[in-house]
Amino acid sequence: MDIFYRSTRGNERKVTASEAILQGLAVDGGLFVPEQIPAFDKTMKEFSEMSYQETAYEVMKLLLTDFTEDELKSCIRNAYDEKFDTETIAPLAEAEDAYFLELFHGKTIAFKDMALSILPHLMTTAAKKNQVKNEIVILTATSGDTGKAALAGFADVKGTRILVFYPKNGVSPIQERQMVTQKGANTRVVGIYGNFDDAQSGVKKLFADQELAERMQAKGYQFSSANSINIGRLVPQIVYYVYAYAQLLKEERIAENEFINVVVPTGNFGNILAAFYAKNMGLPIRKLICASNDNKVLYDFFRTGEYDRNREFVLTTSPSMDILISSNLERLIYRIAGNDAQKNAELMKSLNGEGRYEITEEMKAQLSDFYGNFATEEECAAKIKSLYEDTGYVIDTHTAVAAVVHDKYRADTEDGTKTVIASTASPYKFTRSVMTAIDGKYDEMDDFALVDELSRISNVRIPGAIEEIRTAPVVHDIQCDKTQMKEAVEAFLNL
């Protein structure tokens, strides 16, 4: 069955998966969604006997139907190789009463590696399939992790360039250093004076700039995105939920077709949306638990049906979740609106204009798969400390948000369903926040001394991604105001 994609905002032209990946964002500003969500054609028992790479093929072939078997398997083989430091790619760690799905064993020690390791291969394959002669310019906003993972994926990939915007004072020191030390003749990193929402809104505005697109076309360039708005980011994320379930089944921790819950620390809504797609493809997930930090716009949405970004933007110790406009939520809104692009477009127009929208009671009733809650800074720090003291297991600040919300869900519902928590980043990426949560005495140490101390207390080897940046020179030292992003693009491409 061929799967085609349409825009959430009403462009009637349907496109293939490869065309959707190349475009990134639809011309009307909408996001590409599959016309239908296919069902798995393998049983959970069959999945339990597969490697990560085999699972990836069996899942992705259902949604990327215009890629040949050889093309897709080649992309998977090149993505999920020795750049991951565990053979299983995404191992599960049991601690307290949950299974932590460790999604940080890739090159940049965050879950973004899981999809951004394969996106460059999908994109260059898609370009060949569609006879694209232009150079693909990857334009991306990051709240900390996507940027480095995208830079690492696209660095020196022939036929591409990549420009990453990040909030200058809104990422961790390790996150910033990972980006500004990135090598590659085709890479550029720009810190903007603004927050992540400013960066993301600026990127969307650049995608919609037809005059800029025409000038780029004349010079042989075209934009695409590595953000989770790109369907080529979303589809690979479905895989690790299937793989996690299959591993629990293989290890006889669950019975075949037994339901699990999934908790996801959520900012831009892409990661939890992938779990929602997995559920709709046939993965036995009972509840999708959406965990927010103090920027609790999603918690309020699930509680009231109103999405309102008109609030204070809070800088937290989980900066990848410091987001007030959750772009991927639009894909869910489109679905619960009955795939009504006009209705969705009206809501998004309201979000852009008034900063808020409210869904109908009928739409709200379709959110029963989800539970939302949030964790304060104090609760996250306490959870990091207690989990370490009780089990010796160290989690990062984003995973702590999920762990706190998991505890709240259990207390609210008394639901004892076995649970997978998406552990989205290595504690090494947020060493200061993690270590000072464990013991305030660590606040006196510098960032790399903290790295060494974390290794000592956790008995976990320091990842290569951290060792690499200890002495790496700064390659990118460019900043601009949030209003000057277009000028930064023009300078990068010599327009």
Side-chain angles (χ1 to χ4, degrees), residues 297-316:
V297 64
L298 286 167
Y299 163 66
D300 290 337
F301 169 72
F302 283 116
R303 187 169 53 86
T304 67
E306 180 184 24
Y307 193 98
D308 188 351
R309 66 175 172 86
N310 299 309
R311 62 185 68 204
E312 180 188 358
F313 184 93
V314 184
L315 287 172
T316 73

Side-chain angles (χ1 to χ4, degrees), residues 85 106-109 178 461-470:
D85 64 17
K107 201 168 182 180
T108 71
I109 57 175
Q178 281 188 302
R461 183 172 56 86
I462 299 169
I466 298 296
E467 293 290 13
E468 284 173 11
I469 62 172
R470 278 186 193 263

Side-chain angles (χ1 to χ4, degrees), residues 400-429:
V401 171
V404 169
V405 169
H406 173 240
D407 291 344
K408 290 183 177 183
Y409 172 79
R410 284 274 172 96
D412 285 351
T413 65
E414 298 183 354
D415 177 6
T417 301
K418 289 167 187 170
T419 301
V420 168
I421 294 176
S423 185
T424 53
S426 166
Y428 282 102
K429 205 150 193 170

Side-chain angles (χ1 to χ4, degrees), residues 241-441:
Y241 293 110
V242 179
Y243 186 71
Y245 186 95
Q247 291 310 295
L248 291 175
L249 181 59
K250 182 179 182 179
E251 295 165 10
E252 299 182 345
R253 295 171 187 267
I254 55 173
E256 189 167 7
N257 299 321
E258 180 180 344
F259 279 87
I260 63 168
N261 290 337
V262 172
V263 190
V264 187
T266 307
N268 219 14
F269 208 76
N271 200 3
I272 196 166
L273 185 69
F276 175 76
Y277 276 28
K279 176 180 169 73
N280 281 271
M281 293 174 80
L283 195 65
I285 296 174
R286 176 161 286 131
K287 211 70 169 177
L288 296 155
I289 299 168
C290 179
S292 300
N293 65 12
D294 279 321
N295 292 291
K296 54 189 177 69
V297 64
L298 286 167
Y299 163 66
D300 290 337
F301 169 72
F302 283 116
R303 187 169 53 86
T304 67
E306 180 184 24
Y307 193 98
D308 188 351
R309 66 175 172 86
N310 299 309
R311 62 185 68 204
E312 180 188 358
F313 184 93
V314 184
L315 287 172
T316 73
T317 56
S318 47
S320 297
M321 299 165 64
D322 290 346
I323 293 170
L324 294 181
I325 304 174
S326 300
S327 287
N328 269 289
L329 185 63
E330 180 173 345
R331 286 184 164 114
L332 181 64
I333 296 299
Y334 171 82
R335 182 179 173 88
I336 64 175
N339 297 339
D340 185 336
Q342 184 178 348
K343 174 66 175 172
N344 176 71
E346 289 169 4
L347 293 171
M348 295 308 121
K349 184 177 179 182
S350 177
L351 180 64
N352 286 336
E354 300 163 29
R356 61 174 297 278
Y357 62 81
E358 189 166 0
I359 61 174
T360 65
E361 285 300 317
E362 292 78 13
M363 292 169 71
K364 192 176 176 184
Q366 295 182 62
L367 297 176
S368 59
D369 287 338
F370 292 88
Y371 166 93
N373 215 318
F374 75 102
T376 66
E377 290 287 270
E378 295 75 21
E379 288 171 329
C380 289
K383 187 65 184 180
I384 291 168
K385 180 180 177 68
S386 67
L387 190 65
Y388 169 68
E389 290 178 345
D390 294 345
T391 69
Y393 189 60
V394 182
I395 56 174
D396 91 294
T397 46
H398 302 74
T399 308
V401 171
V404 169
V405 169
H406 173 240
D407 291 344
K408 290 183 177 183
Y409 172 79
R410 284 274 172 96
D412 285 351
T413 65
E414 298 183 354
D415 177 6
T417 301
K418 289 167 187 170
T419 301
V420 168
I421 294 176
S423 185
T424 53
S426 166
Y428 282 102
K429 205 150 193 170
F430 304 94
T431 45
R432 182 163 301 282
S433 298
V434 169
M435 294 300 283
T436 53
I438 290 171
D439 193 323
K441 71 182 182 183

Side-chain angles (χ1 to χ4, degrees), residues 63 133 197 492:
L63 285 155
K133 300 291 189 284
D197 287 332
F492 181 46

Side-chain angles (χ1 to χ4, degrees), residues 100-124:
F100 289 83
L101 177 59
E102 294 185 347
L103 300 171
F104 52 75
H105 289 280
K107 201 168 182 180
T108 71
I109 57 175
F111 83 102
K112 307 296 174 74
D113 285 324
M114 302 300 294
L116 280 165
S117 292
I118 195 168
L119 184 62
H121 303 290
L122 292 174
M123 195 166 285
T124 51

